[in-house]
């Protein structure tokens, strides 16, 4: 082979090698780009599936788990109250805890059609809406004034227990705390939430529920701290004959069970919704239409200006 030919051959070899290097580099770049795209898609998928991430329910095709328990194991094994506890608290309660919570929920289930939430649901049921709308109408009437005293009382008892226990011996006696609390509410012209009732001189739900709490305290199921705080307030109000009402005694139960104030209101709403359902269903079966707040033939008093011309 001539020198020229040899040189040409060598040059061709170098060119081919350079081309192969470029191709390899392009492939590496493509792989890197693919990996980056996969990482981006995985991150986007993760953020999408985390949108409604929950520790409560696991749902997959053929799978329903509540707080890690397969639903087929819960059905027929775990009662409804224990399931409420599991769903809201994360673990199954002891039988004693479940029994105490159940007692509080049963005690709060209804208070008759004069209660605004019940009356509202009954009126809605005669207005052509569905049963679910009537129930929602009643539940939505439950607020700070009607239905909120239990939450307020749990918060109040929590504060009393914390102040009584204090730290490094700084705790204050419960009777002193109760006197200060009652005086503070009186100065503001406010009711102490959970005490006194506009219908009942002594709420018939107080004694049986309080007896159950005392028994649970004696059995070591609860500590009895919220019970002691509530009784101290009741003692302070004894001269005015203002005993605990259902909101107060149920607040004792919720406080003893470690249920947060706002969740306590939610549980009360859950309980009262059963009464709302029963009343809405009863009214829907009556056949009456557009039943207002006053019986037929009665009109609300008019207090505006006398009839006048434009």
């Amino acid at each position: 082979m001539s020198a020229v030919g040899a040189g040409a051959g060598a040059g061709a070899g170098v060119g081919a090698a350079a081309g192969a290097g470029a191709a390899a580099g392009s492939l590496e770049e493509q792989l890197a780009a693919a990996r980056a795209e996969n990482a981006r898609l995985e991150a986007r998928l993760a953020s999408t599936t985390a949108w409604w991430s929950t520790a409560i329910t696991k749902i997959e095709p053929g799978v329903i788990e509540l707080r890690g328990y397969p639903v087929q194991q819960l059905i027929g094994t775990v009662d409804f109250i224990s399931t409420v506890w599991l769903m809201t608290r994360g673990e199954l309660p002891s039988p004693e805890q479940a029994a105490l919570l159940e007692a509080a929920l049963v005690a709060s289930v209804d208070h008759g059609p004069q209660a605004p939430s019940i009356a509202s649901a009954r009126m809605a049921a005669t207005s052509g809406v569905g049963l679910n709308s009537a129930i929602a109408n009643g539940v939505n009437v439950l607020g700070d004034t009607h239905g909120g005293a239990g939450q307020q009382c749990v918060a109040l008892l929590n504060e009393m227990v914390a102040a009584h226990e204090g730290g490094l011996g700084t705790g204050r006696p419960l009777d002193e705390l109760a006197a200060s609390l009652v005086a503070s509410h009186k100065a503001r012209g406010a009711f102490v939430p959970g005490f006194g009732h506009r219908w009942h001189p002594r709420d018939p739900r107080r004694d049986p529920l309080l007896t159950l709490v005392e028994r649970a305290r004696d059995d070591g199921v609860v500590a009895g701290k919220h019970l002691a705080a509530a009784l101290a307030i009741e003692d302070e109000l004894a001269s005015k004959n203002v005993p605990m009402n259902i909101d107060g005694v149920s607040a004792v139960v919720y406080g003893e069970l470690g249920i947060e104030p706002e969740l306590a209101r939610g549980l009360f709403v859950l309980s009262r919704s059963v009464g709302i359902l029963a009343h809405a269903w009863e009214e829907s079966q009556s056949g009456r239409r557009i039943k207002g707040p006053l019986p037929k033939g009665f009109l609300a008093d008019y207090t505006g200006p006398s009839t006048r011309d434009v």
Side-chain angles (χ1 to χ4, degrees), residues 91-276:
E91 299 293 342
L92 287 169
S94 69
E96 296 78 12
Q97 290 172 323
L100 201 54
L101 175 60
E102 183 175 36
L105 295 179
V106 169
S108 302
V109 76
D110 187 26
H111 199 251
Q114 75 284 342
S117 53
I118 302 295
S120 178
R122 294 190 74 118
M123 283 191 289
T126 69
S127 301
V129 302
L131 192 61
N132 60 310
S133 296
I135 295 169
N137 202 67
V139 167
N140 285 335
V141 174
L142 296 170
D144 289 341
T145 301
H146 172 45
Q151 174 183 345
Q152 296 157 14
C153 190
V154 176
L156 181 151
L157 295 177
N158 285 348
E159 292 174 4
M160 278 191 67
V161 169
H164 175 59
E165 293 182 337
L168 300 177
T170 60
R172 297 169 60 192
L174 283 177
D175 57 351
E176 178 184 310
L177 290 167
S180 175
L181 181 146
V182 170
S184 173
H185 280 74
K186 182 179 180 180
R188 302 197 311 269
F191 295 106
V192 180
F195 295 83
H197 201 287
R198 65 193 184 99
W199 287 93
H200 309 294
R202 187 176 183 87
D203 196 316
R205 298 162 289 189
R206 176 208 179 275
D207 293 350
L209 200 51
L210 213 62
T211 297
L212 292 175
V213 179
E214 291 171 342
R215 186 181 304 163
R217 175 202 59 195
D218 295 343
D219 292 341
V221 178
V222 298
K225 297 176 181 179
H226 291 74
L227 172 63
L231 290 174
I233 298 173
E234 193 173 58
D235 287 344
E236 183 64 26
L237 292 169
S239 63
K240 298 178 177 61
N241 192 27
V242 183
M244 243 179 283
N245 60 30
I246 181 57
D247 298 311
V249 70
S250 60
V252 170
V253 173
Y254 295 136
E256 293 289 351
L257 292 176
I259 295 171
E260 293 298 321
E262 190 168 2
L263 180 56
R265 183 191 289 205
L267 291 172
F268 166 76
V269 171
L270 177 65
S271 170
R272 184 55 58 88
S273 67
V274 177
I276 292 172

Side-chain angles (χ1 to χ4, degrees), residues 42-54:
E42 288 176 0
R44 183 175 181 182
L45 178 61
S47 66
T48 300
T49 56
W51 186 259
W52 290 121
S53 62
T54 175

Side-chain angles (χ1 to χ4, degrees), residues 1-57:
M1 179 181 295
S2 66
V4 174
V14 172
S26 177
L27 179 59
E28 290 176 357
E29 291 174 355
Q30 291 175 19
L31 289 173
R35 285 193 291 269
E37 178 64 12
N38 284 339
R40 186 186 70 81
L41 291 174
E42 288 176 0
R44 183 175 181 182
L45 178 61
S47 66
T48 300
T49 56
W51 186 259
W52 290 121
S53 62
T54 175
I56 300 173
T57 315

